[in-house]
Amino acid sequence: MTSRRLFVINPNARRADPDELVRLIRELPGNRTCETCVCRDPDELASQYGPALKNGRYETVVAVGGDGTVRECIGLIARRWKTRLGIVPTGTNNLLAKSLNIPLNPREALETLLTGKTQAISISEVNGKKYFTISFGVGLDARIMLSTPRSLKQRIGVMAYWWESLHHIHTRHYPFRLLIDDVERTTRGKGIIVINRNSYIKALFPFAPPPDPSEPASLDICVLHPHTFWEFVNVGWKILSGEYYGKIDHYQGRSVEITCSEKIPRHIDGDPFDETEIRIRHLRNQLKVIVPS
């Protein structure tokens, strides 16, 4: 396999200056084995670089952007899982980068590509083509995640979600059908959160337990039932701290299908997800990421 790196630059990322980033990349030792792509269309990314990546042209794909760019690059790497993921975080939240202690300074993040180590992490797959590292939400969780203003998140961080929850806590319950490891369940809830087991949620909540690679591969599937603001705060606290009880119905499994007879919001790691079908599968230690030594 060649040592060539492909840098996928999102020019729309909040802290991105594409020209400056390309200049920094060209200053890297061994830059003759680098290619840069300023990506404005994810479909073009897949069609242009997918075949070459599948054939082993790239040892590393580097996502230069936010969490959305990371997900697009994971989708590209899925063509050949031997390929490593590098991250130069220039987005708004940079959740995976923060959880893996990847520097938020672009120059330092680029240096990590040269001096870091490779770490295998678990991810989850949706409908065989999308991937998330933290969570997938339907209903209440998605309403809050998608309606919280970016400016508020930039000012007060994770507390912005608690503030936004005041506007959505009285939403009604919905009927759900769950198929967890081929076992069917019917339930009602205000929403469902599917958490990538050993997820990297400590980027949102620093006191959350770190991922434990020794634990078995599974998804944490949480059906939410809060009725008041304080019940919601309690539910949120328990999810972030890895405790699933109270106003939560908790299940575990390696795969889950979610069906709801009504059209309700859904998100994938905080971004809108518009597909009706939801089939999620956990992939244990599937992705190789370059992290600081």
Side-chain angles (χ1 to χ4, degrees):
M1 180 187 288
T2 177
S3 62
R4 186 177 297 272
R5 304 185 195 99
L6 172 64
F7 288 81
V8 178
I9 302 171
N10 179 1
N12 300 316
R14 184 172 68 89
R15 299 185 297 114
D17 180 343
D19 294 335
E20 174 66 12
L21 290 168
V22 169
R23 184 186 67 79
L24 291 175
I25 291 168
R26 287 176 178 167
E27 292 177 355
L28 280 178
N31 63 14
R32 292 183 180 180
T33 62
C34 295
E35 292 183 30
T36 58
C37 165
V38 178
C39 177
R40 292 178 171 82
D41 185 345
D43 293 333
E44 287 186 12
L45 176 69
S47 61
Q48 185 172 354
Y49 293 99
L53 193 142
K54 187 175 182 179
N55 291 331
R57 179 178 175 85
Y58 305 107
E59 181 189 56
T60 305
V61 173
V62 183
V64 186
D67 296 308
T69 309
V70 168
R71 280 200 308 278
E72 294 299 338
C73 288
I74 293 174
L76 195 61
I77 287 172
R79 298 165 183 255
R80 185 181 176 89
W81 287 113
K82 291 181 180 180
T83 306
R84 299 185 302 170
L85 173 70
I87 304 176
V88 178
T90 62
T92 301
N93 293 320
N94 307 304
L95 295 181
L96 185 58
K98 290 177 182 176
S99 289
L100 297 175
N101 297 316
I102 294 171
L104 299 183
N105 179 282
R107 187 183 295 274
E108 294 176 7
L110 287 168
E111 290 176 0
T112 297
L113 300 177
L114 305 177
T115 62
K117 63 181 180 180
T118 301
Q119 176 178 327
I121 70 171
S122 298
I123 59 175
S124 296
E125 174 192 82
V126 185
N127 295 350
K129 57 186 177 181
K130 300 279 188 180
Y131 300 88
F132 65 88
T133 58
I134 297 178
S135 68
F136 185 100
V138 184
L140 175 63
D141 171 59
R143 289 184 192 280
I144 294 167
M145 294 287 287
L146 298 177
S147 63
T148 303
R150 176 174 295 186
S151 59
L152 188 61
K153 289 186 285 185
Q154 291 171 350
R155 289 203 309 273
I156 63 175
V158 68
M159 292 303 298
Y161 297 114
W162 301 118
W163 179 261
E164 183 66 20
S165 68
L166 291 170
H167 304 292
H168 302 281
I169 199 63
H170 296 298
T171 56
R172 64 186 182 84
H173 284 65
Y174 296 96
F176 292 103
R177 172 183 171 272
L178 304 177
L179 192 64
I180 302 172
D181 292 346
D182 298 323
V183 177
E184 183 172 347
R185 302 175 186 273
T186 56
T187 185
R188 295 182 65 85
K190 293 193 173 186
I192 295 177
I193 303 177
V194 181
I195 299 172
N196 182 40
R197 183 72 167 165
N198 298 328
S199 77
Y200 307 90
I201 208 163
K202 69 174 185 175
L204 286 171
F205 189 69
F207 301 106
D212 182 354
S214 67
E215 289 195 9
S218 70
L219 300 163
D220 285 310
I221 302 141
C222 302
V223 184
L224 309 181
H225 303 281
H227 290 89
T228 68
F229 172 74
W230 292 112
E231 285 181 354
F232 178 82
V233 170
N234 184 260
V235 164
W237 177 271
K238 292 184 183 305
I239 286 176
L240 290 172
S241 60
E243 300 177 353
Y244 305 115
Y245 60 87
K247 294 291 183 177
I248 303 171
D249 294 336
H250 176 230
Y251 310 98
Q252 286 184 327
R254 293 182 299 276
S255 66
V256 61
E257 296 183 16
I258 303 173
T259 305
C260 183
S261 58
E262 302 183 44
K263 180 71 173 177
I264 54 178
R266 50 203 73 188
H267 78 87
I268 179 168
D269 274 355
D271 285 339
F273 185 85
D274 296 326
E275 297 180 26
T276 302
E277 267 190 74
I278 304 174
R279 292 176 288 105
I280 301 174
R281 184 167 65 105
H282 189 72
L283 306 176
R284 176 181 170 83
N285 293 338
Q286 184 70 68
L287 182 66
K288 299 175 177 65
V289 187
I290 302 173
V291 301
S293 294

